[in-house]
Amino acid sequence: MIVRFIRIIVLLLSFGLTGCSVTKYLPANESLYVGAEVKMLPDSNVSAKTAKTVKSELEPLLRPKPNKLLFGFPLKVWMYYVLGEPKKEKSFRGWFRKRFGEPPVFASKRVATTNSLVIGNYLNNEGYFRSSATGELKEKNRKVKAIYNVTLRKRYTIQKIEFLKQDTGAFFKNFDLTQKNSLLKEGDPYRLIVIETERARIDQELKKQGFYYFRPDYLIIKADTNLNSHQVNLSMQLKPNTTQLALKTYFIQNIFVVTDNGMLSKDTLSGAVLRRGGLRIVDQENAYKPRIFYNSIGFRRGTTYSSELHDVSLSRLINLKNFKFVKNRFDLVPRSDSAMLDVYYYLTPLKKKTMRAEISAVTKSNNLTGSQVGVTWLNRNIFKGAEQLRISGNVGIDVQLGGRRNKYIRDYYRTSAEAELTFPRFVIPFYKIRPEKNQALPKTTFLTGFERLTQQGLYTQTSFKLNWGYSWRKNVEIEHTFLPIALNVIKPSNISEALIDSIFTSSKPQDLFRYLTILENRLILGAQYNITYTPTPKPLSKNSFVITGGFDIAGNVAGLISKGRKEVGLAFGIPYEQYARFDAEIRYYRDINPKLRWANRVLAGIGIPYGNSLSLPQIKQYFAGGTNGIRAFRARSLGPGSARPDTTSIFFNLTFGDIRLEANTELRLRINKYIETAAFVDAGNIWMYRNYDESYYTPEDNAVFTNQFYKQLAIGGGLGIRIVTPFVLVRFDLATPFRKPWLPDNERWVFNKFDFGSKAWRKENLVLNIAVGYSF
């Protein structure tokens, strides 16, 4: 059977596209629908550009979609008929026909009539009043094409918008206030979708003011057109049959919280315990402190209902990460002329304690292949206040595999452990949050960790970290993170004679400097602050952006400790780092159409070492290249400035800097539900703040940032493909350098050196980046 189908495929490849016709298989009195053509007939006062734009908007609306063609031939339809009707649907033949065949799309006179109506309605909804469309079918050799002639009139614009008030009551006062931020603007084109969005916006604004039972359907917009000026006057009004329930302001009476919805019964609510703020809590297992619900739920007995507070309360409960489901309902208190609501929260808890094991593998640009095993234990409610304790441990190894080994690279072994305790509130004396004012619950995080990194036969480096920080937000757009204590202690050990011999016999000053940094104990004691601004896009907007910024300052507290103990450059006997680092990032996205997005990013950062530090500590320095940076260059192989990449160091890539500039732009095209393609260009580099040793970087390296920095920019680009699943996005980006900053000035652009046929060129210049998630 399978052999028979293989023969059919061979016949298809041999004759299908040349001599076969699909029309001979069509049933009698049926014709194959091959598509449609839209012909624009614009008025004299309509520009050719406008007509072309409207045409591009109309074509996707036409139905049905014709069969797909391969070089002008309906291959899948031909396969559908050649394979024939299978005897069993689940047979190989049935699967093959369904997978590679496609039933024909037949022509119908009703198609032209229906699509003409669709075109007319769309034009009317977009403000092209009095425009019209007619359709006809043209048949040739049992193939039918639909032709639509569209008469296009000039588009109407908005001349005046009016919100009509029927009285001076509370409802119409609030209704009148909604006009301030109206989406309907004088001079804008008339668009039905904007009007519908405006009704939804007004509904949300009124619900924020307590009008719980109001709906967008209660609003009507009347349009008065002027044929001579092609303008329209809009009047927003309340429908005459609007129920009085929708015009009332509602208040909260009782607030019920059921902590385990799975244990709900008829008598559950009767066992509710009254707590402060009017909360009535049902917690039969006594699993939670009432405070977390008081802080999470913004409603209080007697307060006005607000949809904004309603959404915020649900978001807070979900973000406690203690509940699998959070359900909510409002009931009108049953009495005459009632304006009171009872609110119910039904929570389904997650399992309190969980343990997870992970194993991962990775290949690196320095020829190392690694694996890591990790175990994480989580308690979601350790002190009954939704406090989360996470304890994790990891063991990993990076080794060289295969016959071609790099003598400058040694195997790495890693072990680490980390504990994190998170509180859904500020752990700080003399401060209380106001749940009715804050957008989200603040978080306090205590984190401590230990890591040991061993480079086989060379050295072992042990680090300890301790962080204490807060994160909070007062609205959905701005988030703050502040770490008043960020401590990191680094201690070397097991430094081998082989390492010392390698360094002092090396001709590279970078190796000596790296050895000195490895040899010393270092202490980083500082504070960090970051802010993220994510403005909410306006309705129907195609643009969005994100701005982040922050600073990291270390050494001031350690300096005070050193001064008090009369230790020069030491705190507790350990040399401490002193620096100030500032970072900023801007991301801008534009949805050109539903399938095409333009994504952009600009990064800037500067670290200023002072006092004890000649440069930033390496863990705080910047590097360029890699899967999330300038993708045409391997990670840590670029810069600083015009310095030439050096992979012969015993420490492999050592290209770090105190200053970073980077820009990325990318076009992302969605092919289907699972496949996305991209074309991208990246540019940037890193520089040193100062050259602390001229034997390390020569003047020709231009390693220090100057006003000539643009001459040292590296530029690269390429193409990418992304596999999209509901759980993860896997990214494959193939890139190549366009500009190499270490080459002589007149040779840095390398387009004329592209040689895809050369294996040596491909090995040096083609970089395949494999990663999970977008780079920005």
Side-chain angles (χ1 to χ4, degrees), residues 640-684:
S642 301
R644 178 176 289 275
D646 181 14
T647 59
T648 62
S649 166
I650 62 174
F651 298 107
F652 198 62
N653 291 330
L654 288 176
T655 54
F656 296 91
D658 302 328
I659 297 173
R660 172 177 66 175
L661 286 176
E662 186 175 315
N664 318 86
T665 186
E666 182 172 280
L667 274 176
R668 300 169 182 166
L669 176 63
R670 195 67 175 264
I671 303 299
N672 56 41
K673 185 178 179 180
Y674 301 105
I675 302 294
E676 180 181 274
T677 59
F680 57 87
V681 175
D682 306 315

Side-chain angles (χ1 to χ4, degrees), residues 87 89 93 117 143 189 191 213 280 310 338 377 433 449 454 494 511 570 615 732:
K87 294 180 180 180
E89 186 177 347
R93 180 183 223 170
L117 292 174
K143 293 181 180 180
R191 297 184 68 198
Y213 285 103
R280 297 178 180 270
H310 173 203
S338 174
W377 178 83
I433 66 168
T454 299
N494 301 327
D511 290 343
L570 302 176
S615 66
F732 301 88

Side-chain angles (χ1 to χ4, degrees), residues 589-613:
Y589 305 93
R590 180 173 177 82
D591 294 320
I592 299 172
N593 60 49
K595 291 187 176 182
L596 185 62
R597 165 171 275 205
W598 182 32
N600 303 270
R601 179 180 67 176
V602 176
L603 292 168
I606 180 172
I608 304 174
Y610 64 93
N612 260 11
S613 302

Side-chain angles (χ1 to χ4, degrees), residues 399-472:
V399 299
Q400 290 193 77
L401 299 178
R404 299 180 61 184
R405 298 178 62 88
N406 189 330
K407 66 178 182 179
Y408 300 107
I409 301 175
R410 301 293 185 94
D411 297 343
Y412 284 87
Y413 303 94
R414 301 183 307 278
T415 57
S416 64
E418 189 173 273
E420 182 183 61
L421 180 60
T422 303
F423 297 83
R425 57 188 177 276
F426 278 129
V427 179
I428 186 171
F430 314 114
Y431 182 85
K432 293 183 179 180
I433 66 168
R434 298 182 63 188
E436 69 276 13
K437 296 294 183 182
N438 290 31
Q439 172 68 24
L441 291 179
K443 288 195 303 184
T444 301
T445 302
F446 295 92
L447 184 145
T448 182
F450 162 88
E451 183 180 32
R452 173 169 289 181
L453 175 65
T454 299
Q455 190 171 11
Q456 186 183 33
L458 296 181
Y459 67 94
T460 297
Q461 192 173 75
T462 303
S463 64
F464 169 79
K465 64 180 177 181
L466 175 66
N467 292 341
W468 170 27
Y470 304 98
S471 62
W472 71 97

Side-chain angles (χ1 to χ4, degrees), residues 39-43 119 123 128-134 148-153:
K39 294 183 177 181
M40 303 301 296
L41 305 173
D43 277 0
I119 292 172
L123 294 174
Y128 298 97
F129 299 133
R130 300 186 301 114
S131 297
S132 61
T134 59
Y148 298 98
N149 296 301
V150 179
T151 301
L152 187 65
R153 310 294 184 189

Side-chain angles (χ1 to χ4, degrees), residues 57-331:
E57 294 170 355
L58 294 177
E59 288 172 340
L61 302 177
L62 302 178
R63 295 292 184 274
K65 296 296 182 183
N67 295 111
K68 296 177 182 178
L69 304 178
L70 179 64
F71 303 114
F73 181 73
L75 177 62
K76 286 192 171 185
V77 176
W78 187 84
M79 289 284 289
Y80 180 84
Y81 281 118
V82 168
L83 292 172
E85 192 71 31
K87 294 180 180 180
K88 294 182 180 180
E89 186 177 347
K90 293 186 177 181
S91 63
F92 179 79
R93 180 183 223 170
W95 171 84
F96 198 90
R97 188 182 195 228
K98 185 177 181 180
R99 179 68 181 82
F100 297 101
E102 184 179 73
V105 177
F106 295 125
S108 168
K109 293 182 179 179
R110 187 172 55 185
V111 167
T113 303
T114 302
N115 280 329
S116 296
L117 292 174
V118 168
I119 292 172
N121 289 336
Y122 177 83
L123 294 174
N124 192 64
N125 293 340
E126 289 295 304
Y128 298 97
F129 299 133
R130 300 186 301 114
S131 297
S132 61
T134 59
E136 60 177 339
L137 300 180
K138 291 189 175 182
E139 181 176 358
K140 184 179 181 181
N141 298 327
R142 301 191 69 185
K143 293 181 180 180
V144 171
K145 184 177 183 180
I147 306 295
Y148 298 98
N149 296 301
V150 179
T151 301
L152 187 65
R153 310 294 184 189
K154 186 177 180 180
R155 195 176 201 176
Y156 279 66
T157 57
I158 300 173
Q159 183 179 32
K160 182 181 178 183
I161 309 106
E162 185 179 13
F163 281 48
L164 293 184
K165 297 185 293 182
Q166 297 176 7
D167 57 47
T168 58
F171 174 83
F172 284 102
K173 285 182 179 179
N174 283 281
F175 174 66
D176 187 50
L177 291 174
T178 63
Q179 186 174 1
K180 180 180 178 181
N181 297 316
S182 176
L183 302 176
L184 301 171
K185 308 291 184 182
E186 294 180 4
D188 282 0
Y190 173 95
R191 297 184 68 198
L192 181 62
I193 190 173
V194 178
I195 291 175
E196 291 174 344
T197 306
E198 172 71 354
R199 291 202 311 171
R201 184 196 66 84
I202 294 172
D203 170 65
Q204 287 299 312
E205 291 295 323
L206 291 173
K207 280 188 167 67
K208 289 178 184 179
Q209 304 305 317
F211 298 95
Y212 176 74
Y213 285 103
F214 192 81
R215 298 202 310 264
D217 293 342
Y218 293 144
L219 292 173
I220 186 172
I221 289 188
K222 294 184 177 180
D224 180 18
T225 59
N226 186 319
L227 297 179
N228 294 325
S229 63
H230 290 89
Q231 291 182 316
V232 59
N233 294 326
L234 300 179
S235 174
M236 181 77 72
Q237 356 182 341
L238 194 66
K239 290 181 179 179
N241 60 345
T242 301
T243 174
Q244 287 300 309
L245 284 175
L247 307 182
K248 283 184 182 180
T249 304
Y250 287 86
F251 301 87
I252 302 300
Q253 179 163 291
N254 296 308
I255 305 160
F256 294 92
V257 180
V258 180
T259 62
D260 193 343
N261 194 28
M263 301 177 66
L264 187 64
S265 65
K266 293 182 179 179
D267 301 325
T268 299
L269 294 179
S270 63
V273 178
L274 181 61
R275 302 291 185 179
R276 63 174 179 169
L279 271 68
R280 297 178 180 270
I281 301 173
V282 179
D283 186 3
Q284 297 178 1
E285 299 293 325
N286 194 28
Y288 302 96
K289 294 178 180 178
R291 176 176 61 183
I292 68 169
F293 303 115
Y294 178 80
N295 290 342
S296 299
I297 298 171
F299 290 120
R300 299 290 178 262
R301 185 181 179 92
T303 59
T304 305
Y305 167 82
S306 167
S307 62
E308 187 174 41
L309 205 52
H310 173 203
D311 295 339
V312 166
S313 299
L314 290 175
S315 176
R316 291 174 186 158
L317 289 170
I318 293 169
N319 288 330
L320 288 175
K321 298 180 180 178
N322 264 251
F323 305 106
K324 186 176 182 180
F325 301 111
V326 178
K327 297 181 180 179
N328 166 245
R329 84 167 196 265
F330 292 85
D331 286 351

